[in-house]
Amino acid sequence: MKVDVLLGLQWGDEGKGKIVDYLANNYDIVARFQGGPNAGHTLKFDGKKFVLHTVPSGIFRDNLLNVIGNGVVIDPITLKKEIQNLEDADVDYKDRLLVARKAHLILPTHRLMDAASEAAKGKAKIGSTLKGIGPTYMDKTGRNGIRVGDVHLPNFKERYKALRKKHLKLVQMYPAVDFDLEAEETKWFECLETLKSLKHVDGEYYINQALKDGKKILAEGAQGSMLDIDFGTYPFVTSSNTISSGVCNGLGIAPSKIGEVIGITKAYCTRVGGGPFPTELDNKIGEFLRSEGGEFGATTGRPRRCGWIDLPQLKYTIMLNGVTQLVVTKIDVLNNFESLQACNQYQYNGGIHEQLPYDINNIQVVPLYQSHSGWQQSLDGITKFEDLPATAKDYIHSLEKDLEVPVTMISTGPEREKLILKNVSEMIS
Ligand code: GDP
Ligand code: IMO
Ligand code: MG
């Protein structure tokens, strides 16, 4: 068996949670492989709404196992809140939520450092979610981090104190920020007990054995490929490999074990936080997309920046990930447009280009657009591709043609059932 991967092709919030929740029924295990509580994955079903940050989006499906892989960074405080929400909703998670011992812990002082480092950057700030992601991955690569498996070691408290001390020294380099460390630490140690009570596994052995046993596994990405630490719009990125290669490190599987790579894109594009965004619409159209799409961060509540779909950007992330099928979400958000735009080229440095420039943060990239007719009607209740308005079908076909990947799912609303499975015969000809 192989591990299928589902991940975002833009700057995050493509609707990964909804699609993983839908697809989960076809799998035995859903596993997160990177990121942490900076993620906010929204699921809507049976009139209920859940936002998951650390827990994989397969948790609401009976009998399905959910693994938090070694590549994830975990804040016991956020995890406890998520678990509380599961308990409140009577979700039986106890034997279905497994945590890799090699996953790293986010300490309160990591969050303090995140806040202080962002404050020091002033106008150049990344727009981090301030969940401590960057400092925790820094300690991981700097070989100072504390891992889930360490919580049972006799010298855990000493290790904690030593790292805390180091952080407090470092933080003196930065401007002071408002942070009640004592209160956060008390909470952290309380919540650590919940993390301790979960099943801990040697994730790499566990996943590889599951594959041997013929189990079907779906790896759930967090953030989006344009936020990848190596290939995103650096430094306006997150601190992990969000692309498909991250699955190998984040779960402990070989590249030959990767199966389908399902890439998700919105029918338009959004970004939250700082950094370049060539097709951003800082105008009435952007505001309209924001209000129609409810584009406010699932983790921070910040308004998301909105713009048209960007095909050279998608070609880039399809290339990096080896995408084998595409999911297009939020097509309903475009219902009221007379015409739509899709960027197919960029103008910069006096020329026309189809690739993103290295220097994207410092040069003006002007998007060039191709226009498409809108459909100006509701898509509610449509469950078959052939029942979509002709112009909506044309839009999807043109994405398939330009991106050279078949679209296999089209999402028409936030609820689980608002999804069109596209017939294989409809695939790119
Ligand atoms: P994720 O981080 O990729 O899981 O995405 P988020 O949950 O942060 O953001 C996606 C938002 O769009 C959530 O509010 C979803 O409920 C919502 N959503 C997902 N798919 C659709 C869709 O097809 N149409 C509409 N209108 N909303 C959707
Ligand atoms: P999901 O999984 C959208 C963005 C932040 C910031 C940058 C760095 O819900 O798609 P960090 O907290 O990692 O230091 O922030 O990355 N960011 C996200 N944007 N969706 C996410 O996750 C994000 N996680 C981080 O806004 O610009
Ligand atoms: Mg999100």
Side-chain angles (χ1 to χ4, degrees):
M1 296 301 286
K2 299 210 170 184
V3 175
D4 291 340
V5 183
L6 181 138
L7 43 72
L9 296 176
Q10 298 169 312
W11 280 276
D13 304 326
E14 296 89 350
K16 298 176 289 294
K18 168 186 163 155
I19 302 298
V20 171
D21 165 64
Y22 177 83
L23 285 176
N25 252 357
N26 304 318
Y27 290 90
D28 300 301
I29 298 175
V30 173
R32 277 276 306 271
F33 58 93
Q34 47 69 230
N38 48 351
H41 295 181
T42 315
L43 286 68
K44 278 191 172 177
F45 54 87
D46 301 341
K48 288 175 283 189
K49 173 180 160 179
F50 294 93
V51 180
L52 297 171
H53 304 285
T54 325
V55 173
S57 301
I59 200 72
F60 296 100
R61 299 294 199 168
D62 294 341
N63 305 321
L64 195 131
L65 293 172
N66 292 266
V67 176
I68 301 175
N70 62 276
V72 176
V73 289
I74 302 176
D75 186 336
I77 300 179
T78 324
L79 184 60
K80 165 95 194 262
K81 273 190 215 142
E82 285 177 67
I83 285 178
Q84 188 61 54
N85 290 341
L86 295 178
E87 281 178 356
D88 293 348
D90 278 334
V91 176
D92 177 20
Y93 66 89
K94 270 265 155 155
D95 294 320
R96 299 194 300 114
L97 183 59
L98 314 177
V99 187
R101 292 195 175 90
K102 292 193 170 99
H104 280 244
L105 290 177
I106 303 176
L107 272 51
T109 41
H110 283 131
R111 283 194 286 130
L112 169 59
M113 294 218 309
D114 213 356
S117 135
E118 278 283 79
K121 284 197 164 104
K123 269 193 170 165
K125 72 175 183 181
I126 309 294
S128 163
T129 60
L130 304 181
K131 301 295 176 189
I133 305 295
T136 306
Y137 279 116
M138 273 166 68
D139 271 337
K140 175 178 175 174
T141 52
R143 297 163 293 181
N144 296 310
I146 300 183
R147 304 184 290 179
V148 167
D150 298 340
V151 298
H152 301 294
L153 298 179
N155 67 349
F156 173 68
K157 269 265 168 76
E158 284 77 67
R159 298 253 325 262
Y160 176 92
K161 279 188 196 151
L163 192 52
R164 171 194 200 271
K165 195 169 161 195
K166 190 170 162 195
H167 289 162
L168 292 180
K169 268 197 186 151
L170 286 171
V171 103
Q172 285 172 8
M173 297 187 322
Y174 298 125
V177 289
D178 203 13
F179 193 87
D180 188 344
L181 182 56
E182 212 174 301
E184 291 301 323
E185 284 190 311
T186 308
K187 226 188 311 174
W188 194 86
F189 277 101
E190 272 168 30
C191 296
L192 192 65
E193 293 306 311
T194 304
L195 173 59
K196 277 181 171 172
S197 74
L198 298 176
K199 266 195 180 172
H200 298 178
V201 291
D202 293 321
E204 62 279 37
Y205 284 115
Y206 186 88
I207 293 282
N208 282 288
Q209 187 59 48
L211 287 174
K212 266 195 178 165
D213 293 343
K215 302 281 187 230
K216 292 182 76 182
I217 304 178
L218 179 65
E220 171 181 4
Q223 289 78 58
S225 306
M226 293 303 289
L227 292 170
D228 181 90
I229 183 70
D230 282 286
F231 298 107
T233 44
Y234 193 88
F236 299 96
V237 292
T238 190
S239 298
S240 63
N241 280 116
T242 59
I243 59 173
S244 54
S245 65
V247 177
C248 295
N249 299 323
L251 293 181
I253 59 154
S256 58
K257 292 285 194 307
I258 303 271
E260 288 293 304
V261 180
I262 307 164
I264 306 199
T265 172
K266 284 180 189 177
Y268 50 100
C269 193
T270 64
R271 170 164 207 170
V272 60
F277 178 4
T279 60
E280 179 171 15
L281 296 164
D282 192 10
N283 57 22
K284 284 259 177 321
I285 306 173
E287 280 165 31
F288 185 72
L289 284 169
R290 184 176 310 122
S291 70
E292 288 285 288
E295 295 295 358
F296 295 89
T299 296
T300 59
R302 291 177 293 177
R304 293 178 183 145
R305 299 154 64 191
C306 297
W308 296 119
I309 200 164
D310 181 339
L311 302 178
Q313 177 271 300
L314 284 172
K315 283 181 192 171
Y316 175 64
T317 54
I318 286 169
M319 170 186 82
L320 292 170
N321 287 298
V323 171
T324 57
Q325 31 177 314
L326 269 178
V327 179
V328 179
T329 59
K330 307 194 86 159
I331 192 163
D332 54 300
V333 174
L334 302 181
N335 282 353
N336 295 315
F337 283 95
E338 205 173 287
S339 68
L340 317 169
Q341 311 296 318
C343 164
N344 52 7
Q345 285 175 319
Y346 305 127
Q347 196 166 36
Y348 57 80
N349 291 346
I352 307 245
H353 306 267
E354 291 188 8
Q355 294 190 358
L356 290 157
Y358 169 76
D359 211 12
I360 189 164
N361 297 320
N362 299 316
I363 60 174
Q364 215 207 342
V365 174
V366 180
L368 303 177
Y369 290 107
Q370 186 189 354
S371 191
H372 295 266
S373 301
W375 40 94
Q376 296 186 281
Q377 70 173 75
S378 162
L379 304 180
D380 258 6
I382 298 182
T383 54
K384 290 194 188 124
F385 183 75
E386 49 275 24
D387 294 341
L388 279 173
T391 44
K393 281 193 275 199
D394 288 349
Y395 187 58
I396 296 292
H397 280 142
S398 118
L399 293 181
E400 286 182 315
K401 189 163 161 280
D402 288 336
L403 300 173
E404 299 178 325
V405 186
V407 171
T408 52
M409 279 175 261
I410 300 156
S411 177
T412 58
E415 295 80 13
R416 192 187 263 171
E417 66 281 0
K418 291 206 172 155
L419 196 64
I420 296 172
L421 302 184
K422 195 163 157 298
N423 201 308
V424 181
S425 65
E426 286 286 350
M427 284 183 182
I428 195 164
S429 48

